[in-house]
């Protein structure tokens, strides 16, 4: 804060007296100009129409609360390139090109589904499909399995370093010993894996253009904050479950298809199910804000030619609108290609039914990730059906000594088909990332868990159908790369063409502040853009304070310089 105070005192105490106000002067080409005095509301209107309107043109994310949205827009006002990757992400998603509303919402990142959390624990009587038991190799490279369990010799089918679901025989039976804690550890695994990069354009897009929110992640790595996100309908999660964003290449089936199968039309094979419509909007106000800001900034840039550049050179106040203008153009294209969703929508899955049976409540779902014709294993062109891999396991016993066995095998004392499940919970460390980092360094040996000898993995979500990449996705990737390059280079090219980087009569302080505002506003925008991941209201406000304290000096210095130059130069009009 002291830096901002000294900066304001130094600039405002300078030559702030108006010159050439109320007089007639001439441009370099001889055009006569009449310059009048600049008032305080002229400065405020310049700030509003060229800087603040840019922040208002930034799109809100689906379901984003008002506090997080306001904080992100204020960060875009302080650092213009904060929202450029959000605008590019909207162009990449291009939800308005999707074939239906459900897929459009998935591409717009407006759908969520129920998944199992890493802390999920089964209960007595649960039958879980798709379980896999991964057994580690013995330490000495032998084939003995006595270290981690006793295998029925007559029906031995456990293959070390492989999954139980891939064993050749279904008659597997094992019982884990309790010689060491953590011999059989329960974990959740994601069936969905982000698609790989097919070519160089895809790799550049994922590494440089896309932000974390718009990139493809495994569901467990893209959790939805239920408390701070607006949801359509009702959702009360049971213990061990959470909501995750639905990937954009996951196919969403209409819920009416499930009801149609039970109807008379479904028996006859008549597909008369109505198409699902979701509430979305082009957000006309955002588009208007982008158009007005682009027009105002373009006019300010046009007015900078001549006497203004002759006086202030490369530090002319009319040139400071360039980074805000180029990002507003990106926001305009993104708003035209992707509709805005006020809330997040829930989609149905077998995991949601399981959660509801354990005391949770979900109402108001709009689709399903599971195919209602699940018996048909055929895949259409451009689709890939993903099924659960593994065997169904039945859990029984108290939580402190939970056991499991194959659901298809009977439980008896002779087959010994039960195994003790030992939990290996990691110690929870509260606090900020600095405290967690220091604690992990100083107490690494104390809290380092022993590697498990066997791991039982359960799927975190239900089976799904993956869609292939649409034909236009490569063109969208290429478009965003070109826009990103132009956004970084175009301001410098325009300044070079108009001024030749001449200083003319500008002060060194003005040149330093305006150029730092431009350069740091571009480079630091990538770092500050991560604020969009903070959906909590308190954490978002804290992030805004940190951003202002660290990066706000460039914006404050630039705004004060613009105000000072406007007062000195006045409002000039051609006669």
């Amino acid at each position: 804060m002291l830096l901002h105070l000294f900066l304001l005192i130094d600039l405002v105490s300078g030559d702030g007296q108006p010159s050439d106000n109320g007089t007639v002067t001439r441009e370099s080409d001889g055009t006569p100009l009449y310059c009048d005095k600049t008032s305080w509301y002229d400065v405020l209107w310049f700030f509003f129409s060229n800087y603040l309107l840019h922040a208002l043109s930034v799109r809100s994310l689906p379901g984003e609360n008002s506090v997080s949205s306001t904080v992100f827009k204020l960060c875009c006002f302080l650092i213009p390139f904060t929202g450029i990757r959000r605008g590019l992400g909207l162009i990449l998603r291009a939800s308005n090109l999707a074939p239906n509303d459900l897929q459009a919402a998935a591409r717009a990142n407006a759908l969520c589904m129920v998944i199992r959390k890493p802390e999920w624990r089964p209960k007595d009587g649960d039958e879980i499909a798709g379980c896999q038991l991964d057994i580690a190799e013995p330490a000495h490279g032998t084939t003995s399995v006595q270290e981690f369990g006793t295998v029925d010799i007559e029906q031995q089918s456990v293959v070390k370093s492989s999954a139980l679901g891939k064993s050749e025989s279904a008659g597997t039976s094992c019982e884990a010993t309790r010689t060491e804690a953590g011999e059989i550890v329960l974990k959740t695994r994601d069936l969905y894996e982000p698609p790989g990069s097919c070519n160089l354009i895809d790799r550049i897009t994922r590494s440089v253009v896309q932000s974390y929110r718009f990139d493809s992640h495994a569901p467990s790595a893209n959790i939805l904050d239920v408390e701070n996100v607006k949801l359509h309908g009702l959702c009360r999660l049971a213990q061990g479950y959470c909501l995750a964003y639905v990937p954009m290449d996951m196919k969403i089936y209409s819920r009416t298809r499930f009801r149609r199968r039970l109807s008379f039309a479904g028996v006859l094979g008549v597909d008369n199910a109505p198409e699902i419509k979701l509430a979305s909007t082009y957000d006309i106000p955002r588009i208007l804000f982008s158009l007005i800001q682009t027009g105002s900034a373009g006019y300010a840039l046009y007015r900078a030619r001549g006497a203004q550049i002759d006086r202030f050179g490369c530090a002319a106040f009319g040139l400071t609108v360039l980074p805000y203008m180029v990002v507003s153009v990106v926001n305009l294209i993104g708003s035209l290609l992707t509709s805005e969703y006020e809330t997040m929508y829930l989609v149905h899955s077998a995991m949601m039914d399981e959660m509801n049976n354990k005391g949770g409540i979900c109402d108001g779902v709009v689709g399903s990730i599971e195919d209602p014709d699940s018996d048909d294993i055929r895949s259409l062109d451009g689709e890939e059906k993903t099924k659960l891999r593994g065997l169904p396991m039945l859990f029984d016993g108290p939580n402190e000594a939970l056991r499991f066995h194959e659901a298809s095998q009977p439980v008896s004392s002779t087959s010994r088909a039960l195994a003790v499940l030992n939990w290996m919970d990691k110690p929870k460390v509260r606090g900020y990332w600095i405290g967690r980092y220091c604690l992990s360094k100083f107490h690494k040996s104390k809290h380092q868990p022993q590697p498990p000898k066997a791991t039982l993995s359960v799927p975190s979500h239900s089976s799904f159908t993956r869609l292939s990449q649409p034909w236009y996705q490569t063109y969208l990737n290429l478009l965003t790369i070109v826009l990103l390059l132009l956004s970084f280079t175009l301001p410098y090219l325009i300044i070079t063409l108009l001024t030749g980087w001449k200083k003319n009569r500008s002060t060194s302080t003005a040149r330093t502040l305006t150029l730092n505002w431009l350069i740091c506003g571009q480079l630091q925008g990538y770092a500050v853009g991560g604020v969009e991941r903070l959906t909590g209201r308190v954490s978002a406000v804290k992030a805004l304070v940190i951003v202002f304290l660290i990066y706000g000096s460039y914006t404050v210095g630039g705004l004060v310089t613009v105000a000072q130059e406007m007062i000195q130069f006045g409002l000039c009009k051609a006669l």
Side-chain angles (χ1 to χ4, degrees):
M1 296 303 295
L2 291 178
L3 177 62
H4 300 112
L5 180 61
F6 292 149
L7 185 63
L8 288 170
I9 293 175
D10 178 68
L11 290 177
V12 176
S13 62
D15 184 14
Q17 298 299 323
S19 60
D20 297 335
N21 290 331
T23 61
V24 177
T25 184
R26 291 183 180 274
E27 294 190 19
S28 57
D29 60 354
T31 303
L33 296 176
Y34 175 77
C35 297
D36 198 2
K37 182 178 179 180
T38 303
S39 59
W40 62 270
Y41 52 82
D42 294 324
V43 177
L44 291 181
W45 174 251
F46 189 86
F47 287 175
F48 174 79
S49 60
N50 294 288
Y51 307 132
L52 190 59
L53 269 184
H54 157 73
L56 296 178
S57 70
V58 176
R59 280 276 300 274
S60 299
L61 295 175
E64 190 175 28
N65 62 72
S66 58
V67 176
S68 299
S69 178
T70 303
V71 165
F72 189 81
K73 289 176 173 58
L74 289 176
C75 291
C76 293
F77 169 73
L78 293 174
I79 306 174
F81 269 60
T82 299
I84 187 169
R85 289 208 288 179
R86 177 176 291 191
L88 294 175
L90 295 174
I91 298 175
L92 285 173
R93 293 300 181 107
S95 65
N96 293 333
L97 302 181
N100 54 65
D101 278 20
L102 290 176
Q103 292 305 140
R107 290 189 64 88
N109 215 10
L111 299 182
C112 57
M113 61 182 179
V114 176
I115 67 170
R116 297 187 180 111
K117 298 171 64 175
E119 299 82 11
W120 174 85
R121 296 292 179 261
K123 295 182 179 180
D124 184 20
D126 286 348
E127 182 177 341
I128 307 300
C131 297
Q132 295 181 357
L133 180 62
D134 298 321
I135 304 175
E137 288 283 357
H140 303 289
T142 63
T143 58
S144 173
V145 294
Q146 296 299 324
E147 291 184 312
F148 51 83
T150 303
V151 178
D152 189 351
I153 302 299
E154 296 180 357
Q155 299 180 351
Q156 180 175 354
S157 61
V158 176
V159 182
K160 292 176 290 298
S161 299
S162 63
L164 180 60
K166 301 176 183 178
S167 58
E168 297 179 359
S169 172
T172 303
S173 60
C174 61
E175 182 178 2
T177 62
R178 304 200 58 166
T179 58
E180 182 178 359
E183 284 186 324
I184 299 181
V185 178
L186 182 70
K187 71 173 185 179
T188 58
R189 74 179 189 277
D190 292 310
L191 300 178
Y192 176 86
E193 296 180 357
S197 300
C198 302
N199 48 50
L200 180 60
I201 295 178
D202 290 344
R203 289 194 292 269
I204 295 176
T205 302
R206 295 197 61 181
S207 59
V208 179
V209 177
Q210 287 182 327
S211 63
Y212 185 89
R213 178 68 183 270
F214 289 97
D215 199 0
S216 297
H217 302 280
S220 61
N222 210 5
I223 303 300
L224 187 70
D225 187 2
V226 183
E227 299 296 331
N228 296 292
V229 173
K230 293 181 289 185
L231 283 174
H232 171 79
L234 174 64
C235 182
R236 186 178 301 167
L237 296 171
Q239 185 178 4
Y241 298 89
C242 61
L243 294 181
Y245 293 97
V246 175
M248 70 173 183
D249 58 345
M250 187 176 291
K251 185 173 183 179
I252 310 300
Y253 297 92
S254 173
R255 290 282 289 169
T256 55
R257 293 185 60 185
F258 291 87
R259 302 185 183 96
R260 186 182 62 84
R261 294 185 63 188
L262 302 178
S263 64
F264 180 73
V267 175
L268 297 178
V270 180
D271 191 0
N272 58 353
E275 185 178 351
I276 295 295
K277 297 293 183 180
L278 299 182
S280 63
T281 177
Y282 275 101
D283 201 355
I284 301 301
R286 306 286 181 203
I287 296 177
L288 291 178
F289 291 152
S290 299
L291 291 174
I292 295 174
Q293 197 280 334
T294 303
S296 177
Y299 181 67
L301 188 63
Y302 175 79
R303 293 280 301 273
R305 299 178 309 112
Q308 187 183 140
I309 292 179
D310 291 341
R311 179 165 185 173
F312 300 110
C314 60
F317 61 88
L319 302 177
T320 61
V321 303
L322 279 171
Y324 291 89
M325 182 178 67
V326 295
V327 181
S328 292
V329 173
V330 173
N331 293 336
L332 174 62
I333 300 175
S335 297
L336 293 175
L337 290 178
T338 298
S339 299
E340 184 172 15
Y341 294 82
E342 288 291 333
T343 60
M344 294 291 300
Y345 292 94
L346 290 163
V347 295
H348 170 266
S349 65
M351 212 61 62
M352 178 182 288
D353 295 335
E354 177 185 294
M355 192 268 299
N356 290 336
N357 293 333
K358 293 188 177 182
I361 300 176
C362 279
D363 193 12
V365 297
V366 296
S368 177
I369 66 173
E370 296 181 353
D371 188 356
D373 301 323
S374 56
D375 297 335
D376 187 5
I377 61 175
R378 295 174 300 174
S379 298
L380 301 177
D381 292 338
E383 297 182 4
E384 178 186 356
K385 291 188 177 182
T386 303
K387 298 297 183 180
L388 296 177
R389 298 178 181 177
L391 296 176
M393 290 290 179
L394 185 63
F395 295 83
D396 63 353
N399 291 336
E400 61 275 6
L402 196 63
R403 302 180 296 177
F404 68 91
H405 66 92
E406 293 182 39
S408 59
Q409 298 297 317
V411 180
S412 63
S413 58
T414 57
S415 63
R416 306 181 67 181
L418 301 177
V420 179
L421 200 62
N422 299 317
W423 313 123
M424 189 176 65
D425 296 329
K426 296 181 180 179
K428 294 183 179 180
V429 181
R430 298 183 180 274
Y432 296 101
W433 65 271
I434 298 179
R436 294 197 296 267
Y437 174 79
C438 296
L439 189 60
S440 63
K441 289 296 182 182
F442 290 107
H443 298 276
K444 185 175 181 180
S445 60
K446 181 178 179 181
H447 296 288
Q448 185 69 19
Q450 297 296 326
K453 295 182 178 180
T455 302
L456 180 67
S457 62
V458 297
S460 63
H461 57 88
S462 307
S463 58
F464 64 97
T465 301
R466 184 193 295 271
L467 298 174
S468 63
Q469 182 174 279
W471 62 269
Y472 52 80
Q473 190 62 53
T474 302
Y475 299 101
L476 294 176
N477 295 346
L478 186 59
L479 175 62
T480 54
I481 294 175
V482 172
L483 288 176
L484 183 62
L485 291 176
L486 289 177
S487 300
F488 272 96
T489 58
L490 193 60
Y492 303 100
L493 292 177
I494 294 178
I495 294 175
T496 302
L497 292 175
L498 294 179
T499 69
W501 296 100
K502 296 178 181 179
K503 61 181 182 180
N504 295 342
R505 288 184 288 169
S506 62
T507 63
S508 60
T509 302
R511 292 193 301 272
T512 300
L513 291 176
T514 53
L515 291 180
N516 283 341
W517 191 13
L518 172 61
I519 298 172
C520 296
Q522 290 180 330
L523 299 180
Q524 295 169 353
Y526 269 71
V528 181
V531 174
E532 70 179 7
R533 298 180 60 184
L534 303 176
T535 56
R537 294 171 174 82
V538 177
S539 59
V541 173
K542 291 180 179 179
L544 177 62
V545 175
I546 294 174
V547 168
F548 179 76
L549 293 177
I550 297 178
Y551 308 107
S553 59
Y554 304 107
T555 304
V556 173
L559 293 176
V560 173
T561 302
V562 169
Q564 189 179 32
E565 289 184 352
M566 290 185 66
I567 293 175
Q568 293 178 7
F569 186 72
L571 294 177
C572 298
K573 299 180 180 179
L575 294 178

